[in-house]
């Protein structure tokens, strides 16, 4: 998304402020922008849309929480302009109309279980065994005498992905993940750290609980990058919106809504491949 910074630099040289540069992204643009996909990043995108529409009455932004897989299909069918995608872009099929993806933020992730689960802290290796179905009962890890049921969020354009082992469950979105976790004591899953509340029990990994400060210090190392997917050549309005999101105002909205900007992307890899459900299910 370099064009935004180039535009901002040129305008600053001409005496324009970064805020003015952001507003100039939408100069002369109008029409409807359709945003679909994951709920991850959705709050920040909604706040950005409100600001943009207030400053540009000719622009309308509509949202639909479809899940990533359905969102990708809508982009291919030209029924949407931007798909929020919190998974590895390598999961996007090469079949059909080509798509383009760009990272716009960092999503610190919490590993969570149902509150009645008595399991204590787990190591990264134990979690990999859990998600790859190598541990089948919670009592092997200090929990209750009931099966382990990992939950994954679908990330492909094929319903039912990832291809997990019997007993595993795939859902379409984080709200569906939360609903399933809160109602089934056997379950374990991953949700955005910003969405963690008392309805779910966080799992300490290698002795460290999921907290933003611990993540920033590199002690809790679970996260996914946040992507936006468009047609290979997006509309001018879609491009302007994404340039806004990777600019100073958009990145500030990410921080305000509980995520992290691209500038804070860790130098280390996530200890769990939460951005790739198939790989997570395989225990890699």
């Amino acid at each position: 998304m370099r064009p935004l910074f180039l535009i901002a630099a040129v305008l600053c040289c001409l005496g324009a402020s970064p805020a003015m540069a952001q507003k100039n992204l939408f100069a002369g643009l109008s029409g409807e922008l359709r945003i679909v996909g994951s709920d991850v990043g959705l709050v920040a995108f909604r706040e950005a849309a409100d600001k943009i529409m207030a400053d540009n009455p000719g622009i309308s932004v509509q949202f639909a929480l479809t899940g990533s897989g359905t969102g990708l299909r809508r982009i291919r069918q030209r029924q949407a302009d931007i798909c929020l995608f919190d998974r590895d872009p390598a999961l996007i099929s090469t079949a059909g109309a080509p798509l383009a993806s760009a990272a716009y933020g960092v999503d610190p992730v919490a590993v969570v279980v149902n509150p009645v689960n008595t399991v204590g802290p787990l190591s990264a290796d134990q979690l990999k065994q859990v998600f790859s179905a190598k541990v089948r009962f919670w009592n092997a890890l200090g929990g209750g005498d009931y099966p382990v049921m990992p939950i994954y969020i679908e990330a492909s354009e094929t319903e039912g992905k990832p291809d997990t082992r019997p007993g595993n469950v795939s859902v379409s979105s984080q709200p569906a993940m939360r609903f399933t976790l809160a109602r089934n004591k056997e379950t374990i899953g991953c949700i955005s750290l910003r969405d963690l509340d008392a309805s779910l029990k966080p799992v300490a990994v290698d002795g460290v609980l999921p907290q933003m400060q611990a993540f920033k210090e590199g002690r809790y190392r679970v996260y996914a990058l946040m992507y936006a997917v468009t047609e290979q050549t997006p509309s001018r309005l879609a491009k302007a919106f994404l340039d806004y999101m990777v600019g100073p105002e958009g990145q500030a909205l990410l921080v305000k809504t509980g995520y992290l900007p691209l500038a804070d992307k860790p130098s280390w890899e996530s200890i769990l491949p939460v951005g790739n459900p198939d790989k997570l299910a395989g225990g890699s």
Side-chain angles (χ1 to χ4, degrees), residues 161-173:
K161 292 285 282 180
D163 289 330
T164 58
R165 293 177 174 85
N168 296 348
V169 177
S170 62
V171 294
S172 62
S173 64

Side-chain angles (χ1 to χ4, degrees), residues 4 10-11 13 27 33 48 55 57 70 76 81 92 115 119 121 124 128 135 143 148 175 180 235 263-265 279:
L4 170 63
V10 171
L11 289 171
C13 289
L33 187 69
D55 291 336
T70 298
R76 291 191 193 280
D81 305 291
I92 299 174
V119 71
K128 291 175 183 178
V135 175
V148 174
T180 306
S235 68
D264 288 350
K265 177 185 179 299
K279 192 174 181 181

Side-chain angles (χ1 to χ4, degrees), residues 219-233:
R219 295 184 293 114
Y220 193 90
R221 299 188 169 202
V222 187
Y223 73 96
L225 290 181
M226 303 153 71
Y227 293 88
V229 179
T230 66
E231 293 183 59
Q232 194 167 50
T233 303

Side-chain angles (χ1 to χ4, degrees), residues 109-112 193 196 202-205 208-212 214 220:
V109 168
V111 178
V112 292
L193 183 56
L196 181 60
V203 175
V205 181
V208 182
L209 282 167
Q211 297 174 338
M212 186 63 79
Y220 193 90

